[in-house]
Amino acid sequence: MSEKPFALAVKALVADDQGRILAIRRSAASSQFTGNWDLPGGKVDPGESFDVALAREVAEETGLSIVLTGVAGATEYDCPNVRLAVLFMEATVQSGEVQLSSEHDDHAWVEQSKLPEMGFAGQLREFVCNYCRR
Amino acid sequence: MSEKPFALAVKALVADDQGRILAIRRSAASSQFTGNWDLPGGKVDPGESFDVALAREVAEETGLSIVLTGVAGATEYDCPNVRLAVLFMEATVQSGEVQLSSEHDDHAWVEQSKLPEMGFAGQLREFVCNYCRR
């Protein structure tokens, strides 16, 4: 059994008004997984509630303001110093247009049936495949 | 779409050294679902991290000290004033003997294959059935 502590991360399946999901691609400026597609989100800061953290991360990474609509599921990522418990939330766009930060260099609105074909890495790929199979 | 905000709750699948999972039964002193079986856990307090909240709730409800071992999944509960995003974690017993609070009046260590047969209510029953089917 690993002795590394758990931290909480949150990621969003952000749907547009046609139900397509926003995927973003990690740039060379990203800390890891350059070129892989990802969902917006990140770690919950100490003292921060999960919904505030998710809205903050999505705004930072995509420029969009979101409304949470449901729970999509959870998985875990094993990182060098920590294990991340990753909670995935369903969301819709409240306002804004996509404007990426330097950590990502492309975005796509993807039909749910096509999500498993995106180049997601590792545990995210597995989660998305299970989610789309429900 | 519901306009109720989301709050975070955490629940534990606490395994003993034979891999059996701890279920606890809600007493008449419990706020709701009297007589239903449950998993230990509860809401994350403002400013509290999810792992500290889960250890606190499990200790309050069962007297056990736990170690988190993995992510089991997530679901949502619709409550009168809030929607709960419920993150389920796998855990093992670090120390202690089961000692229930007034909110529960019985406990059982249940083989995973028998968990779906326990009288869990609503969304918890659905989550446990999906978890055991994995």
Side-chain angles (χ1 to χ4, degrees):
Chain A
M1 185 196 315
S2 171
E3 294 296 320
K4 287 185 284 191
F6 271 100
L8 183 63
V10 278
K11 283 188 169 284
L13 292 141
V14 180
D16 68 6
D17 52 14
Q18 297 169 59
R20 298 176 306 179
I21 303 297
L22 179 61
I24 54 181
R25 192 177 64 186
R26 287 174 171 273
S27 72
S30 190
S31 54
Q32 54 183 347
F33 299 120
T34 295
N36 279 127
W37 287 83
D38 200 2
L39 295 173
K43 281 187 206 167
V44 176
D45 286 340
E48 191 178 37
S49 66
F50 84 106
D51 53 335
V52 170
L54 185 52
R56 173 183 55 72
E57 288 281 355
V58 171
E60 286 173 6
E61 294 183 343
T62 72
L64 298 175
S65 170
I66 59 168
V67 176
L68 299 184
T69 55
V71 174
T75 189
E76 65 186 87
Y77 295 176
D78 190 40
C79 301
N81 300 312
V82 74
R83 288 174 291 173
L84 287 180
V86 187
L87 177 64
F88 292 87
M89 298 294 293
E90 296 166 338
T92 55
V93 178
Q94 184 171 55
S95 62
E97 299 290 331
V98 174
Q99 189 160 5
L100 301 176
S101 75
S102 63
E103 287 185 6
H104 299 93
D105 59 11
D106 198 6
H107 79 280
W109 291 99
V110 186
E111 308 236 354
Q112 286 211 25
S113 62
K114 300 281 170 62
L115 272 180
E117 300 165 24
M118 295 296 289
F120 295 121
Q123 290 303 106
L124 178 56
R125 174 190 292 268
E126 189 176 323
F127 170 79
V128 166
C129 289
N130 287 332
Y131 176 76
C132 292
R133 218 184 287 139
R134 295 191 312 184
Chain B
M1 183 197 314
S2 172
E3 294 296 320
K4 287 185 285 191
F6 271 99
L8 183 63
V10 279
K11 283 189 168 283
L13 291 141
V14 181
D16 67 7
D17 52 14
Q18 297 169 59
R20 298 176 305 178
I21 303 297
L22 179 61
I24 53 181
R25 191 177 65 185
R26 286 174 171 272
S27 72
S30 191
S31 55
Q32 53 183 347
F33 299 120
T34 295
N36 279 126
W37 287 84
D38 200 2
L39 295 173
K43 282 188 205 166
V44 176
D45 286 340
E48 189 179 39
S49 66
F50 85 105
D51 54 334
V52 170
L54 185 52
R56 174 183 56 72
E57 288 281 355
V58 171
E60 287 173 5
E61 293 183 345
T62 72
L64 299 175
S65 170
I66 59 168
V67 176
L68 299 184
T69 56
V71 174
T75 189
E76 65 186 86
Y77 295 177
D78 191 40
C79 301
N81 300 312
V82 74
R83 288 174 291 173
L84 288 180
V86 187
L87 177 64
F88 293 87
M89 298 294 294
E90 296 166 339
T92 56
V93 178
Q94 184 170 55
S95 62
E97 299 290 331
V98 175
Q99 187 159 6
L100 301 177
S101 74
S102 63
E103 287 185 5
H104 298 93
D105 60 12
D106 199 7
H107 79 280
W109 291 100
V110 186
E111 309 234 356
Q112 285 211 26
S113 62
K114 299 281 169 65
L115 271 182
E117 300 165 25
M118 295 297 289
F120 294 121
Q123 289 303 105
L124 178 56
R125 174 192 292 269
E126 189 176 321
F127 170 79
V128 166
C129 288
N130 286 332
Y131 176 77
C132 292
R133 217 185 288 141
R134 293 190 318 185

